[in-house]
Amino acid sequence: MSTVIEMQGLRKEFTVRVRAGRLRRAKRTVAAVDGVDLAVPRGELLGYIGPNGAGKSTTLKMLTGILTPTAGTVRVCGLVPVPQRTRLARRIGVVFGQRSLLWWDLPLRDSFDLLRHIYRVPAAGHAARLRRCRSLLELDGLLDTPVRQLSLGQRMRGEITAALLHGPEVLFLDEPTIGLDVVSKQAVRGFLAELGAAGETTVVLTTHDLNDIEKLCRRLVVIDNGRVVHDGSLAQLHQRYGSTRQVVVDLDEPPAEPVTVPGARLVSTGSDGRRLTYALAGAEAGELVARLAGAGALRDLTVLEPAIEDVVTRLYTDR
Amino acid sequence: MASVLTPYRHLLRGQVRAQTAYRASFVVNLVSNVWATVADVLTVLVLFRVTTSLAGFSLAEALVMVGLSACGFALADLAAGNIERLRHYVRTGLLDALLVRPLRALPQLLLMDIGLQRLSRVGVGAAVLVAALVAAPVEWTPARLALAVLAPLAGALFFSAIFVAGATVAFWWVESGELANSLTYGGKDLTAYPMTIYGPAFRRVFGFGLGFAFVGYYPALALLGRPDPLGLPGWVGWVSPAVAAPAVGAAALLWRVGIRHYRSTGS
Ligand SMILES: Nc1ncnc2c1ncn2[C@@H]1O[C@H](COP(=O)(O)OP(=O)(O)O)[C@@H](O)[C@H]1O
Ligand SMILES: [Mg+2]
């Protein structure tokens, strides 16, 4: 599998002026991105997550050629983004949750048409991609409305379509679900899942909404204060931060003696002693349940997946 | 080459459609834009009510300079006058949107903010130039005709370069304010009069140093076939349109350096 995105020691500093006294203003340098090394293989759907101000957008702006890195190297599709910006732009698509890339006064249809000329793509491929987005993102009723009259959720569906019409190899999305209603969020997530499953497009998704990536991304990169603090699967993230699946059982009677299974830890016992909660750290749920069933009549059973929020909250407060 | 320009042509078409969508207000803008140029002409007419010659130039001859300056400036103002909005795009991070497209940022900005309502000013400028050239004692040759067309175009490039160079200050200094405008609008007034009316120091800095003397004054001398009271040889008027080249080069360089300093905005 070839590498589509490569960053080495990537760094971006901003000089900000801060008040120092009544009239004086001092310069201070802050590192928004502080030495990021990352390689993304073709076809991957990568979740780039972190709290507000972590450096997600700044990283994306360096990957798309908007910002010049202060230090380090970056390559996307084999190109160096800033000097080769216009060439790279043909091969990537970009969606900013907080900034429209469409023409405010033009209907979506005209924007899409203009984009075909701007990217100089053959009409047939453009039409095919538009058809696919139209049905998957339910754009049909919106094509003739000027962009400024669309709701945020409608506009975002338009933005995603616009970013894909030239058939990019890589799609960058910066907080695409920010401020969206639940239905639009679902539409966007569903669409991205579909896109990821097709495996043709490499997707980098930044978000601080963890629901976006929980079902979508197999690989998560967590960034904080400009540094990568985790790079791996969701399961690895849970493992590393000690979050576990939990088994909750309701028994007819409290067990005569404590049920223990190696790798499972009793976390809590209900006040009547009939509801038991175990945390699984290595043990199989089946093994534990079988043992419990042997100890008394099992009335109800729930397996709780670990909440990613818990992990990440811990990650963020664990600085 | 043609296909390289196609996307820009489409961008322009979209822009024209957007700007002329509200027809009535577009016409009002078109008409009100005439006054700026008319005022320039009136200033010269008023001057000539109290004198019959301005530094040795008759009314018609002086109006040739006004016409060259007005034509060049109005064209530049149409194409690049709104680049001053760059300040706003830099401050708000709107430039991001242009930078993710496979097109050069500067032409996109110019097209996005093209001032179509200034077309009328170009018309008035051209009319003043033509009228002045008819009234003034010009011995027409093919070379003079070519110069009469080329000089205002070169002037347009020159002024555009100044508009762009002035706007790039925003990449370093967002609160640059009206700094750039004072140079362009001041420069326009400067080019409309004979260089001889200015003091030597002023002439040296703005006329020759920044090149404003080569927009109206020297081409006018060549068109009128007059020697330069300041003593420069006659061919200077003929090559003065070339002043646009270093101006455009310098502006392009400033732009390239400036855009590397673009820092977008934090979310
Ligand atoms: N243009 C800028 N000027 C100054 N500081 C900036 C700029 N852009 C981002 N920053 C700062 O860099 C840090 C990272 O910002 P950003 O990449 O936007 O974070 P995120 O997208 O993860 O929320 C923040 O502290 C932010 O204030
Ligand atoms: Mg951000």
Side-chain angles (χ1 to χ4, degrees), chain A residues 56-57 98 174-175 206, chain B residues 267:
Chain A
K56 305 180 295 292
S57 300
Q98 282 152 313
D174 192 9
E175 310 257 7
T206 86
Chain B
S267 38

Side-chain angles (χ1 to χ4, degrees), chain A residues 256-285:
Chain A
E257 49 187 78
V259 178
T260 56
V261 172
R265 184 167 49 87
L266 183 64
V267 187
S268 68
T269 309
S271 55
D272 56 1
R274 294 190 307 191
R275 167 167 284 196
L276 305 177
T277 306
Y278 287 87
L280 296 181
E284 297 281 331

Side-chain angles (χ1 to χ4, degrees), chain A residues 12-16 30-33 48-61 67 98 174-175 206-208 223 225-226, chain B residues 262-267:
Chain A
K12 180 71 190 180
E13 291 172 359
F14 290 109
T15 320
V16 287
V30 288
V33 174
Y48 197 66
I49 67 174
N52 272 326
K56 305 180 295 292
S57 300
T58 304
T59 309
L60 242 58
K61 285 172 192 167
L67 290 179
Q98 282 152 313
D174 192 9
E175 310 257 7
T206 86
T207 184
H208 70 268
I223 176 173
N225 273 328
Chain B
Y262 175 59
R263 45 190 278 169
S264 185
T265 50
S267 38

Side-chain angles (χ1 to χ4, degrees), chain A residues 116-190:
Chain A
R116 179 165 75 78
H117 294 293
I118 286 176
Y119 284 87
R120 289 192 283 151
V121 283
H126 183 270
R129 286 184 287 269
L130 181 54
R131 240 189 336 267
R132 178 152 168 251
C133 289
R134 267 171 80 158
S135 66
L136 284 173
L137 287 167
E138 296 167 33
L139 286 177
D140 278 346
L142 311 173
L143 285 179
D144 294 304
T145 316
V147 170
R148 78 185 118 76
Q149 289 173 16
L150 296 176
S151 75
L152 187 59
Q154 294 170 331
R155 203 197 78 209
M156 197 48 59
R157 288 185 268 154
E159 303 270 356
I160 293 174
T161 304
L164 288 170
L165 286 177
H166 55 287
E169 291 163 49
V170 189
L171 178 64
F172 293 102
L173 302 113
D174 192 9
E175 310 257 7
T177 57
I178 201 161
L180 298 197
D181 56 286
V182 182
V183 177
S184 295
K185 268 186 187 168
Q186 283 309 330
V188 169
R189 286 174 192 152

Side-chain angles (χ1 to χ4, degrees), chain A residues 101-119 126 130 134 139-140 142-148 150 158 161-162 165, chain B residues 7 9-19 21 101:
Chain A
L101 302 185
L102 297 166
W103 286 265
W104 215 235
D105 292 315
L106 295 182
L108 275 180
R109 190 190 297 282
D110 293 13
S111 281
F112 294 160
D113 197 47
L114 205 49
L115 285 169
R116 179 165 75 78
H117 294 293
I118 286 176
Y119 284 87
H126 183 270
L130 181 54
R134 267 171 80 158
L139 286 177
D140 278 346
L142 311 173
L143 285 179
D144 294 304
T145 316
V147 170
R148 78 185 118 76
L150 296 176
T161 304
L165 286 177
Chain B
R9 214 185 58 227
H10 282 279
L11 266 184
L12 176 62
R13 218 187 46 190
Q15 206 50 47
V16 171
R17 208 170 338 146
Q19 288 193 20
R101 292 189 192 137

Side-chain angles (χ1 to χ4, degrees), chain A residues 238-251:
Chain A
H238 286 310
Q239 206 170 27
R240 181 164 156 199
Y241 290 92
S243 53
T244 49
R245 295 166 80 197
Q246 295 195 328
V247 174
V248 183
V249 287
D250 287 317
L251 304 172

